C-alpha cells in the first residue's frame, strides 16, 4: 500500500466529519454503491458507534458524484407523522416537488394511531412511488437512518404499526425497484420488529460495518493527533496503541485522541501505555464519558419479560475466561436465582438475539463477548 501523507483531521466525537475525513470505508462503500445501482437494497448493520452513518455518507457522496439523486432521512423521530414530514421535505429539496406534495399534506400528516390510521402509510407509499418515477434516467437511492428506532416506537404504541412500515418499504421496493433502491441503517432492534413482519427484510442484502482495519485505524489516529498537535516520542507506536485500545472503532479513536490531549495538558507527555490506561479510566468514570452504560440500560427494552435472565446470561459471559457453550451456560445459570427460568432451547434463542444485538460473538458452537471494551464495561457495573 502506498504511504498516505499524515494530514490534520479535526475531532468530531459523535458529530459529522467532513466526508473526506471519513477514513477506511472507500472500498466497501463502493461495493455497496454498486449493489444499490444494480437494483439491490442494502441494510447496514453493526454495533452502535461503529460508523454506519459515516459509512452511508461515503456511499451518498459516491452516488451523487455519479449524478444519482439521493434522499436521506433519519427515522429517529417523535412520531410517524414527523418522519413522513421530514421525508417529504427532503424529497421537496431534492426534486423541487413542492406543489404536488402540498396536495397530499392532509393525508401525509395524520398520525397512524388516529382515526385515519391507514392514511399515512398510504402517504409514505405515495411519496416513495413518486420519487421512484424520477429514477428512470438515474436510479434514486433513499437512505433511511435509524429505521428500528421508529419501527420499535410505533410497534410499542400499537402492535403491528412498526411492522406495517417495514412491509410498506418492502412493497415499494418490489413495485418500484426499477427506479429506486434503499439503503437502510440501524444498529440494534431490527430483528425485534422484523419478527412480527417476517419477510420484510428478505429482499435486502445485509452489509456489516465493523471496526477499521489496523492500517486505517492507525492512520486515523495519526491524522487526529496531527489535528490536535499531539506529539508522542514515537507517534506511530502511539497511534498503533490507540487503534488497539479502541478495538478499531473510530468513535473510540476520536475519544482517545481527545483524552490524550487532555492528559498531555496536565502531565506534559504521553507514553505508549497511555491509550490502554485511558480506556480503563473511561470504563470506570462516574460520568460514563463513552456512554457504555447504554449496553446495560437497553436490556429491559430489548428483552422484556426476561430481562433478569438476560442480565444473568451476560454476567456469566462477562465473567468467563474463555468462550462458553450452551451447556456451560445452563450449568452456570443453575447456581443463580434464575435457574429453571429457561429451557435449553429458550437459552439458545436468547443467545442468538444477544449475537444479533452485538453483545456476543460465536466461535464454533460457543460464544464470548464480541468486544473486550463492552465486556469490561459490563463488569464495571458490578457491585
Ligand atoms: N470511518 C471513519 N473515519 C473517521 N471517523 C469516523 C469514521 N466512522 C465514524 N467516525 C467517528 O465516529 C463517530 C460515530 O460514527 P457514526 O455516527 O457514523 O456511527 P454509527 O454507527 O452511525 O452510530 P450510531 O449507532 O449511534 O448511529 C463519528 O461522529 C465520527 O467522529
Ligand atoms: Mg448512526
Amino acid at each position: 500500500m502506498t504511504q498516505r501523507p499524515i494530514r490534520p483531521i479535526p475531532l468530531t466525537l459523535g458529530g459529522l466529519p467532513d466526508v473526506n475525513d471519513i477514513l477506511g470505508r472507500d472500498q466497501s462503500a463502493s461495493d455497496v454503491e454498486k449493489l444499490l445501482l444494480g437494483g439491490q437494497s442494502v441494510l447496514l448493520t453493526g454495533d452502535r458507534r461503529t460508523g454506519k452513518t459515516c459509512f452511508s455518507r461515503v456511499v451518498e457522496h459516491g452516488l451523487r458524484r455519479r449524478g444519482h439523486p439521493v434522499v436521506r432521512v433519519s427515522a429517529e423521530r417523535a412520531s410517524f407523522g414527523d418522519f413522513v414530514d421530514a421525508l417529504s421535505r427532503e424529497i421537496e429539496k431534492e426534486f423541487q416537488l413542492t406543489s404536488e406534495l402540498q396536495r397530499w399534506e392532509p393525508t401525509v400528516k395524520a398520525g397512524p394511531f388516529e382515526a385515519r390510521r391507514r392514511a399515512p402509510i398510504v402517504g409514505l407509499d405515495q411519496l416513495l412511488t413518486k420519487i421512484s418515477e424520477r429514477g428512470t434516467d438515474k436510479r434514486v437511492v433513499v437512505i433511511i437512518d435509524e429505521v428500528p428506532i421508529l419501527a420499535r416506537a410505533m410497534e410499542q404504541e400499537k402492535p403491528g404499526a412498526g411492522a406495517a412500515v417495514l412491509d410498506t418499504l418492502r412493497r415499494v421496493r418490489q413495485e418500484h425497484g426499477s427506479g429506486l433502491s434503499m439503503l437502510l441503517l440501524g444498529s440494534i432492534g431490527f430483528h425485534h420488529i422484523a419478527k412480527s413482519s417476517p419477510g420484510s427484510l428478505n429482499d435486502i442484502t445485509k452489509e456489516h460495518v465493523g471496526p477499521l482495519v489496523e492500517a486505517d485505524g492507525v492512520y486515523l489516529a495519526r491524522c487526529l493527533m496531527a489535528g490536535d498537535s499531539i506529539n508522542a516520542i514515537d507517534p506511530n507506536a502511539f497511534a498503533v496503541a490507540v487503534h488497539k485500545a479502541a478495538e478499531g472503532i473510530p468513535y473510540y479513536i476520536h475519544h482517545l485522541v481527545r483524552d490524550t490531549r487532555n492528559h498531555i495538558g496536565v502531565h506534559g507527555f504521553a507514553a505508549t501505555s497511555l491509550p490502554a490506561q485511558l480506556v480503563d479510566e473511561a470504563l470506570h468514570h462516574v460520568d460514563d464519558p463513552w456512554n457504555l452504560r447504554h449496553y446495560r440500560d437497553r436490556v429491559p427494552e430489548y428483552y422484556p419479560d426476561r430481562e433478569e435472565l438476560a442480565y444473568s446470561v451476560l454476567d456469566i459471559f462477562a465473567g468467563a475466561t474463555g468462550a462458553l457453550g450452551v451447556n456451560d451456560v445452563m450449568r452456570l445459570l443453575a447456581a443463580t436465582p434464575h435457574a429453571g427460568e429457561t429451557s435449553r432451547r429458550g437459552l439458545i434463542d436468547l443467545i442468538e438475539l444477544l449475537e444479533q444485538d452485538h453483545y456476543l460473538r460465536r466461535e464454533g458452537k460457543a460464544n464470548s463477548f464480541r468486544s473486550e471494551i463492552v465486556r469490561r464495561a459490563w463488569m464495571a457495573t458490578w457491585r
Side-chain angles (χ1 to χ4, degrees):
M1 199 203 277
T2 50
Q3 197 74 33
R4 290 171 281 188
I6 308 295
R7 60 186 170 89
I9 290 184
L11 290 169
T12 34
L13 293 162
L16 202 59
D18 185 279
V19 74
N20 296 311
D21 295 340
I22 299 172
L23 305 182
R25 303 301 194 194
D26 293 346
Q27 184 54 53
S28 30
S30 122
D31 293 345
V32 167
E33 207 183 306
K34 281 196 200 103
L35 286 170
L36 293 167
L37 295 183
Q40 263 293 318
S41 285
V42 178
L43 167 64
L44 295 183
T45 64
D47 201 359
R48 60 193 287 274
R49 297 307 197 190
T50 45
K52 300 173 295 300
T53 300
C54 285
F55 185 110
S56 75
R57 294 269 169 194
V58 180
V59 176
E60 176 180 351
H61 185 71
L63 290 166
R64 288 194 184 279
R65 215 175 31 209
R66 293 174 185 227
H68 288 271
V70 178
V71 175
R72 165 190 289 277
V73 64
S74 167
E76 193 170 10
R77 305 275 166 188
S79 69
F80 182 71
D82 282 358
F83 166 65
V84 179
D85 230 21
L87 179 64
S88 61
R89 272 198 309 276
E90 288 306 312
I91 294 171
E92 231 171 79
K93 219 165 60 192
E94 188 71 25
F95 300 106
Q96 285 95 41
L97 281 174
T98 322
S99 53
E100 272 173 86
L101 294 182
Q102 269 165 2
R103 271 196 281 122
W104 297 341
E105 214 151 277
T107 336
V108 161
K109 289 235 172 110
F113 315 113
E114 295 164 22
R116 301 166 59 204
R117 218 185 128 245
R118 298 295 307 156
I121 295 280
V122 174
L124 175 62
D125 211 328
Q126 280 178 330
L127 279 174
L128 293 170
T129 303
K130 198 80 211 159
I131 52 177
S132 72
E133 287 163 5
R134 299 271 154 158
T136 44
D137 294 343
K138 287 275 190 186
R139 176 173 287 275
V140 181
V141 175
V142 180
I143 302 180
I144 311 182
D145 205 343
E146 309 289 8
V147 187
I149 294 186
L150 178 71
R152 271 187 73 79
M154 292 178 64
E155 194 71 21
Q156 273 163 5
E157 210 165 316
K158 175 115 192 161
V165 174
L166 296 187
D167 287 338
T168 304
L169 294 177
R170 171 157 191 198
R171 198 178 53 253
V172 170
R173 290 194 296 274
Q174 281 175 335
E175 288 171 8
H176 307 289
S178 58
L180 169 148
S181 298
M182 290 182 196
L183 179 61
L184 306 181
L185 283 70
S187 55
I188 177 169
F190 243 115
H191 46 278
H192 295 275
I193 305 297
K195 241 188 340 207
S196 50
S197 169
S200 61
L201 297 176
N202 279 359
D203 61 318
I204 285 203
T205 304
K206 289 189 186 148
E207 290 290 326
H208 184 73
V209 179
L212 297 179
V213 298
E214 183 167 295
D216 294 322
V218 171
Y219 181 60
L220 173 62
R222 294 255 358 226
C223 293
L224 293 171
M225 286 159 65
D228 245 14
S229 309
I230 289 174
N231 287 315
I233 296 163
D234 181 345
N236 204 57
F238 192 83
V240 169
V242 167
H243 170 84
K244 289 210 166 110
E247 297 180 349
I249 306 288
Y251 175 71
Y252 299 140
I253 295 178
H254 279 257
H255 267 281
L256 285 176
V257 172
R258 200 262 316 259
D259 294 350
T260 298
R261 181 194 61 199
N262 295 345
H263 179 94
I264 291 177
V266 178
H267 301 278
F269 74 103
T272 309
S273 57
L274 181 67
Q277 181 192 323
L278 292 174
V279 171
D280 210 53
E281 285 170 15
L283 293 179
H284 294 94
H285 198 291
V286 282
D287 292 338
D288 188 25
W290 291 10
N291 198 15
L292 288 160
R293 239 163 265 154
H294 174 81
Y295 283 95
R296 187 185 57 176
D297 295 344
R298 72 192 185 186
V299 164
E301 195 190 337
Y302 286 109
Y303 308 96
D305 306 327
R306 47 180 170 166
E307 59 191 77
E308 290 301 333
L309 178 67
Y311 285 128
S312 267
V313 169
L314 286 168
D315 283 348
I316 287 171
F317 278 110
T321 48
L324 297 176
V326 176
N327 292 342
D328 302 323
V329 182
M330 277 307 260
R331 192 169 34 76
L332 291 163
L333 263 179
T336 73
H338 307 289
E341 265 179 38
T342 179
S343 63
R344 192 171 185 281
R345 183 72 249 168
L347 179 62
I348 293 174
D349 286 347
L350 178 60
I351 288 176
E352 286 179 1
L353 278 180
L354 293 168
E355 288 169 357
Q356 285 175 299
D357 291 338
H358 315 288
Y359 286 94
L360 301 180
R361 92 167 68 144
R362 197 184 302 192
E363 304 160 40
K365 287 188 172 182
N367 287 93
S368 58
F369 257 72
R370 187 193 47 77
S371 150
E372 205 34 34
I373 292 179
V374 176
R375 185 181 79 85
R376 287 170 58 211
W378 188 271
M379 289 173 78
T381 67
W382 289 354
R383 298 284 174 97

